Amino acid sequence: MKNRILFALLIILKGSSLFAYPSLFFTEDETSSILENLHESNTLERAFENFGKLYLSAIVYFDEDHWSLWVNNLILRPDTPQDIESFHLEAVTPKSVKFSWRPSDGSPSKTFTLHPHQTYIAKNEMIIDGVKK
């Protein structure tokens, strides 16, 4: 019974505006304002001033085609570039994100998994809880 209700709910929602891009929570004007402010205050140079560090702030996951990540003060979605400097996004799950890192010295790629509020420090090849400044 629960499965039927869930299935019916998903079918109903599939055609609704809840799947509207880019946000489930904000109006189009609010989203535009947020994006405008992000572009003004968080240029790529500022977002990556801690080169070699990858900080995963949060994951919002609905399914494999509908998710958002906050990584180094940038928002990543399925339709945005999957590379951040020398890091590449490999996979997103509801609780973790798998990345790979290509060292500049040509050595093999390193693969690692981050959970929300964790930082990968490439120099030491280690994961820590919180933000490393």
Side-chain angles (χ1 to χ4, degrees):
M1 181 67 177
K2 288 182 183 179
N3 289 340
R4 287 183 183 179
I5 293 171
L6 180 61
F7 183 71
L9 183 61
L10 287 173
I11 289 174
I12 291 168
L13 291 176
K14 186 76 173 158
S16 83
S17 63
L18 285 177
F19 283 100
Y21 179 80
S23 175
L24 295 173
F25 305 107
F26 301 108
T27 66
E28 191 172 329
D29 290 338
E30 290 170 331
T31 304
S32 296
S33 177
I34 290 168
L35 290 174
E36 182 180 309
N37 287 321
L38 278 175
H39 290 299
E40 289 175 3
S41 64
N42 290 325
T43 63
L44 281 175
E45 292 79 21
R46 278 194 193 154
F48 294 105
E49 61 191 11
N50 290 328
F51 177 73
K53 296 176 186 164
L54 196 67
Y55 174 65
L56 176 62
S57 301
I59 302 170
V60 175
Y61 186 93
F62 185 76
D63 63 31
E64 62 186 30
D65 297 321
H66 300 92
W67 50 262
S68 293
L69 306 175
W70 283 263
V71 179
N72 287 12
N73 296 323
L74 294 175
I75 298 173
L76 300 179
R77 294 185 182 96
D79 61 338
T80 59
Q82 306 298 301
D83 288 320
I84 304 171
E85 290 294 320
S86 58
F87 298 101
H88 179 73
L89 180 91
E90 299 288 337
V92 178
T93 69
K95 296 183 180 184
S96 64
V97 182
K98 183 178 177 182
F99 292 95
S100 61
W101 172 60
R102 295 177 307 271
S104 58
D105 64 4
S107 58
S109 293
K110 314 290 185 198
T111 302
F112 59 94
T113 301
L114 290 179
H115 298 275
H117 200 58
Q118 286 187 326
T119 301
Y120 177 76
I121 303 169
K123 178 180 174 183
N124 303 338
E125 294 183 30
M126 63 185 278
I127 296 172
I128 62 166
D129 288 331
V131 181
K132 173 82 174 184
K133 300 249 182 199

